[in-house]
Amino acid sequence: MCLKFNVTFLLQNPSLAHEVREAATPVHFRLLQSIGNLPNGIRQICDIRAHLLLLMKTEEDKSTASSLHRLERSAHELLVLWFCQSNMKLERLTWQSPGDILQKVSEYEAVHPVRGASDFKQRLGHGRRCFYFSHEAMPREPLVIVHVALLNEIADNIQRIVNCTDFDYDEQRCTAAIYYSINSTQPGLAGIDLGNMLIKRVAHLLQSELPSVHIHSTLSPIPGFRTWMLRCLHDSSLYGMLSFENSEMRPGKLGVEVMRSILLHICPHSNS
């Protein structure tokens, strides 16, 4: 009832809405906003939030932790606004890209570490793509990076991609884009869904450049997937067949085929 009265009152007095919003805005939010408007300020806010996230993990005092959390939430809110879709620049990395950016992308690769110059060159060559987001407030700094493999089908293992030596195929006939590695480079941007945004932009770009590509899949690790998968298997009527308590099934193909059918059903992939 009280909320309804307040809303009605504000609707009848629109001039007060601005005053209410001003009064409800924390002082530290205005401070962070002012810092962000300074030269190199957005990078500073990003670094501040990274430090806040670290402090929040170790702070034991509840009052201090609560204050840190409020400050971190304000920084997060501002960064979400500054790093929105329209402010992100999509760029493709090639072997001809500036050396400092090539070095940064190579060093940032945490999923499948680069094994040397030839390996890195291969990841940027035929049948491969690498894209990243940049922002005018943080020039020459890849913020989130995705590596893509162009294939004729969904890869069933990562070794097929990272250890591939056969590149004698026509990219224009590839039907699948496999997003096999994605890396966020700025701890201060954690929780801001730049990775999902990047993959969607890249998928749209690839479909315009390569009309034959209509399958988009990822081989990136999924946190908590094993626990979820085991729960799904346990709920399946075929779960008993996967325990391999029957010694006759252990070496045979039946158990493998049963597991394969279930895993293919529950494994996430998209076919657009």
Side-chain angles (χ1 to χ4, degrees), residues 4-264:
K4 182 179 180 180
F5 173 80
N6 291 335
V7 171
T8 303
F9 180 77
L10 288 175
L11 290 175
Q12 294 174 349
N13 301 272
S15 60
L16 294 178
H18 175 72
E19 296 180 18
V20 171
R21 184 170 61 252
E22 289 291 309
T25 302
V27 175
H28 62 257
F29 183 91
R30 301 183 190 281
L31 174 61
L32 293 174
Q33 194 173 38
S34 298
I35 294 174
N37 290 330
L38 297 173
N40 204 36
I42 292 180
R43 180 187 290 272
Q44 295 298 324
I45 299 301
C46 187
D47 292 341
I48 288 173
R49 182 168 182 259
H51 288 300
L52 287 171
L53 290 172
L54 286 175
L55 289 172
M56 288 166 57
K57 292 180 179 180
T58 58
E59 182 56 56
E60 297 181 356
D61 182 74
K62 292 184 178 180
S63 177
T64 303
S66 178
S67 298
L68 291 174
H69 178 72
R70 289 195 296 271
L71 186 58
E72 182 274 325
R73 285 292 84 191
S74 291
H76 176 270
E77 183 177 344
L78 286 169
L79 290 171
V80 168
L81 293 174
W82 291 329
F83 289 87
C84 64
Q85 176 82 261
S86 59
N87 289 338
M88 306 306 297
K89 182 180 180 181
L90 177 64
E91 301 192 56
R92 179 182 173 184
L93 188 76
T94 69
W95 195 243
Q96 287 71 43
S97 297
D100 60 323
I101 297 181
L102 284 169
Q103 182 176 355
K104 288 179 180 179
V105 171
S106 174
E107 293 174 349
Y108 285 142
E109 177 55 53
V111 182
H112 307 291
V114 176
R115 296 167 294 184
S118 60
D119 176 42
F120 193 35
K121 187 175 183 179
Q122 179 176 298
R123 299 187 191 195
L124 305 177
H126 182 79
R128 300 290 183 267
R129 296 289 190 275
C130 179
F131 296 92
Y132 64 91
F133 267 154
S134 63
H135 191 283
E136 62 179 359
M138 301 173 69
R140 306 186 75 83
E141 184 65 53
L143 302 177
V144 58
I145 308 157
V146 65
H147 289 267
V148 188
L150 301 174
L151 303 174
N152 291 318
E153 60 183 355
I154 296 178
D156 56 3
N157 64 83
I158 189 61
Q159 285 71 31
R160 177 181 171 186
I161 294 176
V162 297
N163 296 327
C164 179
T165 57
D166 180 16
F167 296 97
D168 187 21
Y169 59 88
D170 185 2
E171 286 186 354
Q172 299 297 324
R173 295 186 178 182
C174 290
T175 59
I178 313 299
Y179 305 86
Y180 66 93
S181 175
I182 185 164
N183 294 276
S184 179
T185 69
Q186 304 299 314
L189 296 179
I192 300 175
D193 201 8
L194 297 180
N196 183 47
M197 193 188 304
L198 174 61
I199 288 178
K200 289 180 178 178
R201 288 273 294 273
V202 170
H204 185 269
L205 177 63
L206 289 177
Q207 284 187 304
S208 63
E209 291 184 352
L210 302 169
S212 61
V213 173
H214 61 276
I215 299 173
H216 298 270
S217 175
T218 176
L219 291 180
S220 299
I222 304 175
F225 177 72
R226 181 177 182 273
T227 302
W228 173 80
M229 181 191 70
L230 291 176
R231 184 171 65 250
C232 289
L233 289 174
H234 189 272
D235 293 340
S236 171
S237 60
L238 297 176
Y239 177 73
M241 300 181 66
L242 301 177
S243 62
F244 301 113
E245 294 177 354
N246 185 340
S247 59
E248 295 181 358
M249 282 188 60
R250 192 174 297 119
K253 296 182 178 180
L254 178 58
V256 174
E257 289 303 316
V258 170
M259 179 175 286
R260 176 181 173 83
S261 65
I262 296 176
L263 293 182
L264 286 178

